[in-house]
Amino acid sequence: MLQRNLSSIIPQKKISDAEWFALQFDSAKARDVYKIPLPGFPDDDTQKGFTALSGENNMRQAFEFYLHMRKVCQLDTLKQPKVLDFGGGWGRVSRLFLRDTAPQNIYLAETRASTIQLLKDLKAPYTLIHNAPPPPINGLPNNLDLVFAYSVFSHLSEQYFLDWMAYFLKVLKPGGHVVFTSRGHYFIRHLQHLHASETASDPMLAEHIRRLKQMMPHPDEILRLYDAGEFQFYAIGGSEELTPSFFGEAFIPEAYLKRRFGDALMSFSEDVPRVDQSMTVLRKL
């Protein structure tokens, strides 16, 4: 009975992009008018802990990412697509797919147990999976239309990146897509600015800058390697389960992707509005 009820939670009336963005901040209208069960929002500090953004700016970034992959992957031509938000955090991108498909067709996988609990507290209606750092993902179907990951492969080692890409291309339907972001010229310019600036007044930010300077080469060397088409990974580590063995800062240039994936590489862009990372789209041939 629950599955049947959930499958009916797809808006019968078409919602424009502008209205759908506005509805993110009006869950009562989304529920009462369109029968869409939008989850709650974390507090601003929690949001900033994931992306350094909060509120409308945070959602605008997620929305531009969503719109770009929806266009490139022609998702509006699919009926109730099955999608995976890999390393989806508190679900700022997952929630946007509630316009396109039923909640049980949206899978959100996260390595951190605390984030899974946060999603439950926010009453996220998706299928939540607490996955291990390496593949596979237990409980994931083998007929997905789309796998996407925002600011996940900007942090994973090359071996983890390759292992996950191989796995995703297995669980996708033929013609399905993998969309992900990674570090690129925008972040390199940010590092150059940090090297040129004085120490930050915020103690936590100052410590973060110190670790970046200590554990990574000079930004000019990172730029040289990036423009030469080399995958770069610096094992800085993160919080909780995100250990330096696989987590840090990663740069994946277009030339590297062309060598590795050939014709499966559909697009690569560092110019998607508000998306401050490179954005790659792979297609399962």
Side-chain angles (χ1 to χ4, degrees), residues 11-12 31 48 72 89 109 129 202 216 278 285:
Q12 301 302 308
R31 180 189 64 243
K48 288 177 182 177
V72 174
I129 303 176
D202 183 329
M216 297 174 67
S278 65
L285 302 175

Side-chain angles (χ1 to χ4, degrees), residues 21-245:
F21 183 77
L23 283 171
Q24 300 308 308
F25 307 97
D26 192 348
S27 58
K29 182 177 179 180
R31 180 189 64 243
D32 297 341
V33 176
Y34 296 103
K35 311 304 181 188
I36 299 178
L38 284 175
F41 278 91
D43 61 56
D44 285 355
D45 286 343
T46 300
Q47 291 183 48
K48 288 177 182 177
F50 284 94
T51 57
L53 296 172
S54 64
E56 184 171 335
N57 287 335
N58 198 9
M59 285 307 303
R60 180 61 70 182
Q61 183 182 75
F63 200 70
E64 293 294 343
F65 173 71
Y66 160 78
L67 290 179
H68 184 78
M69 69 175 151
R70 207 166 174 268
K71 178 181 178 181
V72 174
C73 303
Q74 297 183 313
L75 293 178
D76 58 342
T77 65
L78 301 179
K79 185 178 181 180
Q80 294 199 36
K82 291 184 178 180
V83 304
L84 167 66
D85 187 352
F86 179 64
W90 60 269
R92 66 173 187 154
V93 183
S94 289
R95 63 189 290 128
L96 299 173
F97 281 89
L98 290 168
R99 176 175 69 164
D100 307 296
T101 194
Q104 77 271 16
N105 290 333
I106 302 171
Y107 296 81
L108 192 157
E110 252 293 340
T111 300
R112 290 167 290 186
S114 62
T115 304
I116 292 292
Q117 185 57 54
L118 171 63
L119 287 158
K120 292 177 179 178
D121 294 342
L122 296 173
K123 295 181 168 52
Y126 337 114
T127 300
L128 304 177
I129 303 176
H130 182 203
N131 66 287
I137 297 176
N138 295 327
L140 194 68
N142 290 323
N143 60 345
L144 295 174
D145 295 286
L146 171 69
V147 176
F148 60 90
Y150 194 108
S151 198
V152 177
F153 294 107
S154 48
H155 297 292
L156 300 189
S157 70
E158 183 176 14
Q159 190 59 59
Y160 268 66
F161 168 71
L162 294 173
D163 288 349
W164 277 113
M165 287 301 121
Y167 174 70
F168 293 150
L169 291 171
K170 286 182 180 179
V171 299
L172 282 171
K173 293 178 181 177
H177 299 87
V178 183
V179 182
F180 63 90
T181 67
S182 187
R183 297 300 196 194
H185 286 108
Y186 183 94
F187 189 64
I188 295 172
R189 289 193 295 271
H190 173 65
L191 292 174
Q192 290 171 329
H193 173 73
L194 292 181
H195 269 259
S197 64
E198 298 294 329
T199 303
S201 57
D202 183 329
M204 291 186 64
L205 181 58
E207 173 60 18
H208 176 65
I209 294 172
R210 185 195 67 78
R211 292 179 71 234
L212 288 177
K213 289 182 176 180
Q214 183 181 57
M215 303 178 76
M216 297 174 67
H218 191 278
D220 292 349
E221 175 63 7
I222 295 174
L223 176 62
R224 184 188 71 80
L225 294 171
Y226 186 80
D227 287 344
E230 293 193 26
F231 189 112
Q232 297 175 74
F233 172 69
Y234 303 102
I236 294 175
S239 62
E240 301 174 62
E241 293 94 331
L242 307 179
T243 67
S245 63

Side-chain angles (χ1 to χ4, degrees), residues 165 169 176-180 261 264-266 280-284:
M165 287 301 121
L169 291 171
H177 299 87
V178 183
V179 182
F180 63 90
F261 299 102
L265 178 61
M266 276 193 68
T280 298
V281 180
L282 302 179
R283 183 175 183 270
K284 182 174 181 177

